[in-house]
Amino acid sequence: MNDEFKKVKERIEKLKEVINYHRELYHIHDKQEISEEALDSLKYELYNLEQKYPQFITSDSPTQRVAGKPLDKFEKITHKVPQWSFNDAFSEEDIRDFDERVKRFLEKEMGKTWIASPIARNDTNIEYTCELKIDGFKIVLEYEKGVLKTAATRGDGVVGENVTLNVKTIESVPLRLKEEVDLIAEGEIWMGKAGLEKINKERKKSGEELYANPRNFAAGTIRQLDPKIVAERNLQNFTYDISRASFSIPDSQFDELQKLSELGFRVNKHFRLCKNIDEVIEYWKEWQKKSAKEDYWIDGVVLKVNSRKYQELLGYTGKAPRWGIAFKFRAEQATTLLEDITVQVGRTGVLTPVAHLEPVQIAGSTVSRATLHNDDEIRRLDLKIGDTVVIQKAGDVIPNILSVIKELRNGKEKDFKMPKDCPVCGASVVRLDGEVAYKCPNKNCFAKKRRNIYYFVSKAGFNIDGLGPKVIDLLADNGLVSSPIDIFDLKKEDVELLPRMGEKSADNLIEAIKNSRKVSLFKLITSLGIDGVGEETAHDLSKNFGSMERIISATPEEIRSVYGIGEVTVDSVVGWFKDTANRKFIDELLKRVEIQKESLTRADLAKGGKLVGKTFVFTGTMPTLSREDGKKTVRDNGGDVSESISVKTNYLVAGENAGSKYDKAIKLGIKVINEDEFLKIINS
């Protein structure tokens, strides 16, 4: 190696050393000695040198955190160490039972030799290391000779996904350790509250749905195929366990956490060695009170037997370690009145009873509904409408009824009976032998046609922002929505308790539903999803009849007289409105929404809309005008809109990537105009 190369290599190594020092200082220890601008300048110099001398680029270089090209898919990776999850405890009694099981198991395995002291087992204390349970996403990190080799998701505990490129963008994950060792470490990736709030502010400005659940957001980010997206979101990491190493792992969990820190990992600083189970409970109580002050979400405490020797003796059950447990923060309880029990019909036809409660504050939110699961659960609780009940809510879990305070009954309570007929379609309900669920057997039940609900709230229909298929599925699967009617009965306290939701998301959704209650007649007709009735036919019906009452009572001859409506569609419309269940649906819907008057009625058009008698088709992408806005403009000026080119078309408004409609218009001699020409016609 000549002198020039030697000097370059030395400079690169020194730059890497200094950059890593300041990275660790800032991202691991929350300290700062130089400005971010100065650090960026050092990184820039290193990058330029490596570009000029690529033979000196190594996988642990700070420049290798820069996001690369998007992946086509994630590769599977088999874990070298099986990945377990902890069992949960929710009360002091649960945690004392755990402590007792640990002692009992050790006594069985070791006999009288398991303690150094001669005192009785019941008076012997086990030491536990307590760590905060971060509400994040588990990651498994493998290092070879101190250099990060792979990062994998937990997956099913045996096979995960290789997300190394994405994890490399997280500054608190070291690319090189301080020792050249082989190591498999486990940790938690999380998104800070401040970071999530910043992202949500940006999404709100652009009209996008807000993120509510930090765990799901972190998991979703790590599973992005484009590492650049991961890099932009500034995820964080805490490492908490060494599951395999080429060196002797420390004899205690407490020392293991310190070793991780010495190797260069970021370890949550609030871990504590507790001499007995009483100290564990005190630690749990302390952090239940002050957990909200941290930038990360904490949903409990993880306690682990401190002695590694004892851990090895205790071993594992089929799914979890015997030497550790997750001590979740206390579920909050309250009492309230059960005002009613209604039945929702899910997408598989299962009838689910839902408790309607007198609203009560619990765990920081107002609760007015609770899960009842099935008729057998109601019988088990001996639940009656009018009862005073004890409800429980833990974190973001849907509230459930724990028990009934029977002493407060006054004799006016009513028994609940599952309906014999489906509350949505009226079909006779069935209950198969050996099953707890009652089901609607009708394949055409509105409740089972979830796609109808998707269409009902889509842009073509009520256009409810933030209420897409995933949210509808979430609402339906939790017994909150079984028909479009239920959407307008939703309350904030119902929605914010759902997984992946939260207070802000609930506020936005309820506001969007509120705004959608005022709807035009043609939008309402479109939302019904009647066979053969799309947006344009709905417009024609709206213009010609002017009210829902007139459409419902229209004869086949009257509907047939509407220009553009064929015989099949006439039968479809008449048949839909004759159906008793559909009429009932319309009656209930009109109690919840207000039909707004069209901007131009048929009488108005006769007096002179500038586009009366003209038919427009839109295709391609316009510079500033969306197709929906263009169509609305045409209709507001008395014109007609079609989705297809025909000899009756007067204008094709074409943007980029116009496609086959453009070719057909040219062939038929239809006038083709662009956005500017269209706007000139409107503004003339």
Side-chain angles (χ1 to χ4, degrees):
M1 183 182 293
N2 61 36
D3 288 344
E4 180 191 353
F5 278 19
K6 186 176 181 181
K7 288 180 180 178
V8 169
K9 185 178 181 184
E10 288 176 353
R11 179 64 177 176
I12 286 175
E13 292 301 319
K14 196 65 179 176
L15 282 168
K16 285 160 60 175
E17 182 182 336
V18 173
I19 291 168
N20 277 326
Y21 167 77
H22 288 289
R23 177 202 63 81
E24 180 183 346
L25 202 66
Y26 183 76
H27 293 284
I28 307 297
H29 304 295
D30 297 320
K31 297 179 182 178
Q32 192 171 2
E33 290 182 357
I34 64 174
S35 68
E36 292 183 33
E37 291 80 8
L39 184 58
D40 286 342
S41 181
L42 293 175
K43 291 178 181 178
Y44 183 68
E45 180 186 350
L46 174 62
Y47 175 79
N48 285 334
L49 283 173
E50 288 181 339
Q51 293 303 301
K52 192 173 181 180
Y53 302 93
Q55 63 268 40
F56 298 136
I57 298 176
T58 59
S59 63
D60 64 317
S61 172
T63 61
Q64 299 310 294
R65 291 188 185 277
V66 178
K69 295 180 179 179
L71 301 172
D72 293 326
K73 63 178 181 178
F74 289 114
E75 297 178 353
K76 299 296 182 182
I77 189 166
T78 302
H79 294 298
K80 294 180 179 178
V81 179
Q83 296 301 305
W84 309 91
S85 57
F86 290 98
N87 288 327
D88 293 331
F90 292 94
S91 67
E92 293 182 35
E93 183 181 1
D94 289 344
I95 217 67
R96 291 189 188 279
D97 286 345
F98 167 77
D99 181 55
E100 181 63 23
R101 288 196 302 274
V102 167
K103 292 175 180 177
R104 193 163 54 241
F105 193 95
L106 288 173
E107 182 181 43
K108 179 181 176 182
E109 291 297 307
M110 300 181 67
K112 294 180 181 179
T113 64
W114 81 276
I115 53 171
S117 171
I119 57 178
R121 174 177 63 78
N122 289 338
D123 296 325
T124 302
N125 292 317
I126 295 291
E127 287 187 341
Y128 295 99
T129 295
C130 289
E131 306 163 44
L132 299 181
K133 187 177 183 301
I134 311 301
D135 192 9
F137 178 73
K138 187 172 185 179
I139 200 74
V140 183
L141 307 168
E142 182 178 2
Y143 291 80
E144 280 190 359
K145 294 183 179 180
V147 177
L148 179 64
K149 180 185 178 184
T150 61
T153 64
R154 180 187 180 279
D156 62 3
V158 177
V159 177
E161 290 180 317
N162 189 336
V163 290
T164 308
L165 292 179
N166 287 349
V167 170
K168 275 188 170 184
T169 68
I170 301 174
E171 292 281 357
S172 51
V173 175
L175 300 183
R176 174 179 283 278
L177 303 178
K178 292 184 177 181
E179 299 177 20
E180 292 188 4
V181 293
D182 296 341
L183 172 73
I184 296 176
E186 299 167 17
E188 201 82 8
I189 290 173
W190 51 275
M191 162 58 73
K193 295 176 183 176
L196 187 59
E197 185 177 350
K198 181 181 178 182
I199 288 172
N200 274 338
K201 283 182 179 177
E202 293 171 355
R203 291 179 70 83
K204 187 174 183 179
K205 287 180 182 177
S206 59
E208 297 177 273
E209 186 177 349
L210 304 187
Y211 296 113
N213 187 305
R215 184 195 324 110
N216 291 343
F217 176 72
T221 298
I222 281 297
R223 296 194 73 260
Q224 290 283 336
L225 290 172
D226 188 350
K228 290 181 180 178
I229 295 175
V230 185
E232 292 169 356
R233 292 184 176 178
N234 192 29
L235 295 177
Q236 305 292 328
N237 175 72
F238 286 132
T239 306
Y240 51 73
D241 187 52
I242 301 172
S243 52
R244 180 180 291 181
S246 59
F247 56 87
S248 295
I249 300 174
D251 292 334
S252 72
Q253 179 66 25
F254 188 85
D255 291 341
E256 183 179 321
L257 291 169
Q258 292 182 319
K259 179 64 176 178
L260 283 167
S261 185
E262 291 168 5
L263 287 169
F265 289 103
R266 186 182 187 187
V267 175
N268 186 276
K269 62 184 179 181
H270 297 297
F271 65 93
R272 183 184 300 173
L273 179 62
C274 296
K275 298 294 184 181
N276 53 53
I277 204 67
D278 289 328
E279 290 188 9
V280 170
I281 292 171
E282 286 304 311
Y283 178 85
W284 174 74
K285 287 180 178 177
E286 173 189 334
W287 276 100
Q288 184 159 250
K289 291 178 182 177
K290 65 182 186 182
S291 61
K293 295 179 181 179
E294 299 298 324
D295 186 44
Y296 40 85
W297 280 262
I298 307 167
D299 59 358
V301 167
V302 175
L303 61 147
K304 304 171 184 175
V305 171
N306 190 47
S307 165
R308 177 165 289 276
K309 176 184 176 182
Y310 288 172
Q311 286 186 13
E312 291 172 352
L313 281 169
L314 288 159
Y316 298 82
T317 64
K319 63 173 185 175
R322 293 190 183 93
W323 44 264
I325 196 166
F327 193 0
K328 293 291 190 72
F329 288 148
R330 191 189 306 278
E332 294 195 29
Q333 297 181 4
T335 61
T336 188
L337 285 175
L338 174 63
E339 296 180 333
D340 197 8
I341 299 176
T342 59
V343 173
Q344 299 284 357
V345 184
R347 62 183 172 187
T348 61
V350 172
L351 274 64
T352 303
V354 178
H356 292 256
L357 309 167
E358 185 177 277
V360 61
Q361 281 285 325
I362 181 172
S365 60
T366 302
V367 172
S368 62
R369 298 194 194 191
T371 302
L372 285 174
H373 304 295
N374 52 55
D375 190 52
D376 286 2
E377 175 72 0
I378 295 173
R379 302 288 164 255
R380 184 188 69 79
L381 291 167
D382 188 21
L383 192 62
K384 299 176 185 290
I385 297 169
D387 271 335
T388 299
V389 296
V390 178
I391 61 170
Q392 176 172 285
K393 174 176 174 281
D396 57 3
V397 178
I398 298 295
N400 65 295
I401 294 178
L402 288 180
S403 60
V404 176
I405 303 178
K406 297 179 182 178
E407 294 81 1
L408 292 177
R409 284 179 173 169
N410 57 20
K412 296 181 179 179
E413 294 78 17
K414 297 178 181 179
D415 289 327
F416 168 79
K417 292 183 180 180
M418 288 293 286
K420 294 180 179 179
D421 299 325
C422 173
V424 177
C425 71
S428 297
V429 171
V430 297
R431 188 181 191 184
L432 301 178
D433 291 340
E435 292 189 6
V436 297
Y438 288 82
K439 291 184 177 180
C440 170
N442 179 13
K443 293 181 180 179
N444 296 315
C445 177
F446 206 126
K448 296 165 72 174
K449 291 185 175 181
R450 200 169 290 194
R451 288 187 179 275
N452 285 359
I453 306 179
Y454 299 164
Y455 188 66
F456 182 90
V457 301
S458 69
K459 286 186 177 180
F462 275 70
N463 191 20
I464 303 178
D465 187 38
L467 193 56
K470 289 183 179 180
V471 177
I472 290 170
D473 287 344
L474 187 64
L475 293 167
D477 290 343
N478 283 278
L480 295 177
V481 168
S482 63
S483 110
I485 296 295
D486 299 324
I487 292 168
F488 299 100
D489 295 336
L490 288 171
K491 298 182 178 63
K492 175 187 171 182
E493 54 264 28
D494 300 327
V495 178
E496 67 180 344
L497 301 175
L498 298 174
R500 304 188 301 277
M501 295 297 285
E503 185 174 355
K504 289 185 178 179
S505 296
D507 279 334
N508 292 339
L509 181 57
I510 297 302
E511 183 64 21
I513 293 171
K514 178 183 175 182
N515 293 338
S516 74
R517 288 178 184 271
K518 292 185 177 180
V519 63
S520 63
L521 179 57
F522 96 85
K523 282 278 189 182
L524 192 153
I525 298 168
T526 305
S527 74
L528 300 177
I530 302 170
D531 288 345
V533 180
E535 289 181 74
E536 307 313 322
T537 302
H539 267 289
D540 293 334
L541 289 169
S542 174
K543 287 178 183 178
N544 279 274
F545 294 102
S547 72
M548 181 59 74
E549 291 76 14
R550 286 199 60 202
I551 295 173
I552 292 172
S553 61
T555 63
E557 290 73 26
E558 289 175 321
I559 295 175
R560 194 176 293 114
S561 67
V562 177
Y563 176 79
I565 294 184
E567 196 62 38
V568 174
T569 303
V570 170
D571 293 339
S572 179
V573 172
V574 172
W576 199 94
F577 285 108
K578 273 188 175 180
D579 186 275
T580 304
N582 291 340
R583 289 286 295 274
K584 181 181 178 182
F585 172 80
I586 288 293
D587 290 342
E588 291 299 317
L589 181 61
L590 292 178
K591 292 176 184 177
R592 293 162 173 81
V593 302
E594 176 185 344
I595 298 178
Q596 292 183 305
K597 186 179 179 181
E598 299 287 347
S599 54
L600 286 175
T601 65
R602 177 63 67 186
D604 295 328
L605 297 177
K607 296 175 182 176
K610 66 177 67 177
L611 300 183
V612 171
K614 304 294 183 184
T615 299
F616 289 74
V617 174
F618 290 82
T619 188
T621 304
M622 314 292 168
T624 64
L625 189 70
S626 72
R627 290 194 202 181
E628 290 302 315
D629 288 341
K631 292 176 182 179
K632 184 177 185 302
T633 301
V634 170
R635 295 178 185 121
D636 286 350
N637 284 277
D640 292 302
V641 179
S642 177
E643 293 298 324
S644 58
I645 295 289
S646 72
V647 292
K648 296 178 181 178
T649 304
N650 297 102
Y651 295 97
L652 172 67
V653 185
E656 292 184 10
N657 304 315
S660 60
K661 289 181 181 178
Y662 177 88
D663 296 334
K664 189 171 182 180
I666 295 298
K667 185 177 180 180
L668 293 175
I670 308 286
K671 186 172 180 62
V672 179
I673 59 177
N674 59 26
E675 178 182 309
D676 286 341
E677 291 169 317
F678 171 72
L679 294 176
K680 285 179 182 177
I681 293 173
I682 298 301
N683 296 322
S684 63

